[in-house]
Amino acid sequence: MTIKKHSITLLGAAALSLSLSGCSVFDWLIYKPDVPQGNYMEKQQVEQLRIEMTKEQVEYILGRPVLRDSFSDDTWYYVYHYKSGRDASITHKELVLHFTNDKLSKVDGDYELAAEFNTPLDQSSLPELGTAKGDLEPLNPEQRPDTKPLVEEKKAQELNEVKEFE
């Protein structure tokens, strides 16, 4: 009788421990969504920043910051936090912009700046397009060789015949 009591007690303890740890055992079966928060920024966006840009120009390129310093509007924080639902990995990136007299003066953070960052926007130049008049014409896409429509339209007379048939 005592062996039966011990086996029932052992079986009950095993069942209890499995029920308490059941969530962690089958955790890989449960769908968990990815959680992105903050400002997601591409490398190309950050590379467009130039020293002495106005606040409006910076906001046009990067969007509104997550946080503006409450005590001075001259520091903007762009923060991106991403938690993967599958493997719980976390990606955290920050970009801190400092303004002096409403012009961009300094950038700190996890993103690399372009080599031209220290060249003000008004002093930088666009690449030369060409000198001949023909080089400046806009490029138009080529026309398709067949100009027939992809879908044939039914004539009004055919439509009336179909309605009369019904």
Side-chain angles (χ1 to χ4, degrees), residues 40 104 139 147 155 164:
Y40 175 73
L104 184 62
L139 298 174
T147 57
K155 296 179 184 175
E164 290 175 5

Side-chain angles (χ1 to χ4, degrees), residues 43-107:
K43 178 182 169 185
Q44 293 85 359
Q45 289 175 291
V46 178
E47 288 177 349
Q48 291 178 10
L49 293 177
R50 299 289 183 268
I51 200 162
E52 296 183 7
M53 280 184 136
T54 64
K55 289 182 179 182
E56 291 82 16
Q57 291 170 328
V58 171
E59 192 170 327
Y60 179 77
I61 293 172
L62 299 179
R64 289 187 175 241
V66 170
L67 178 68
R68 292 183 186 184
D69 194 349
S70 340
F71 298 107
S72 78
D73 193 37
D74 293 335
T75 305
W76 289 4
Y77 297 91
Y78 290 87
V79 181
Y80 179 68
H81 187 84
Y82 175 82
K83 182 177 180 183
S84 173
R86 180 57 53 198
D87 60 359
S89 63
I90 294 176
T91 303
H92 185 83
K93 291 191 173 196
E94 293 180 6
L95 187 70
V96 182
L97 305 178
H98 303 277
F99 293 92
T100 305
N101 297 329
D102 291 338
K103 301 274 186 173
L104 184 62
S105 60
K106 181 180 164 188
V107 177

